[in-house]
Amino acid sequence: MAGNFADRYGRKPLIVLGLSLFSLSNFSAALADDLMLLFVSRLIGGISSAALVPSIMAYAADIATNEQRTKAMSYIGASMSSGFIIGPGVLPYVR
């Protein structure tokens, strides 16, 4: 569904929308004092991720040549995996 929107309206607007929603999700999760608000913020975060990831991959495929496309997709996957690994390790020191 997000891929269809990215094809129809462009990759960059969907990336900006996804980042904006993701920021709203994290901000509302930080301010949540109710469990329901936390659930809603996570729902918004999931929607924003569903908009971001396909759009970013499609954008990388658009700007990369055929020879560089595999490398570009690998870098995207590695950066997301690194965030999953490093993020929880850094989190205790941020607070």
Side-chain angles (χ1 to χ4, degrees):
M1 194 164 140
N4 289 336
F5 282 127
D7 289 339
R8 185 176 302 154
Y9 300 112
R11 316 262 194 252
K12 290 180 185 178
L14 201 59
I15 291 171
V16 170
L17 177 68
L19 286 173
S20 301
L21 285 175
F22 197 66
S23 299
L24 176 70
S25 167
N26 286 332
F27 187 68
S28 63
L31 298 178
D33 57 351
D34 185 18
L35 187 61
M36 187 56 75
L37 183 59
L38 186 62
F39 287 154
V40 170
S41 73
R42 291 302 302 145
L43 176 70
I44 294 170
I47 292 169
S48 67
S49 293
L52 269 175
V53 174
S55 301
I56 290 172
M57 287 192 167
Y59 182 73
D62 288 346
I63 64 171
T65 63
N66 286 338
E67 294 81 26
Q68 296 174 335
R69 191 166 294 149
T70 307
K71 192 175 186 179
M73 296 300 157
S74 317
Y75 283 148
I76 292 170
S79 66
M80 287 191 297
S81 298
S82 298
F84 288 132
I85 293 168
I86 295 170
V90 174
L91 186 63
Y93 301 107
V94 174
R95 294 181 183 176

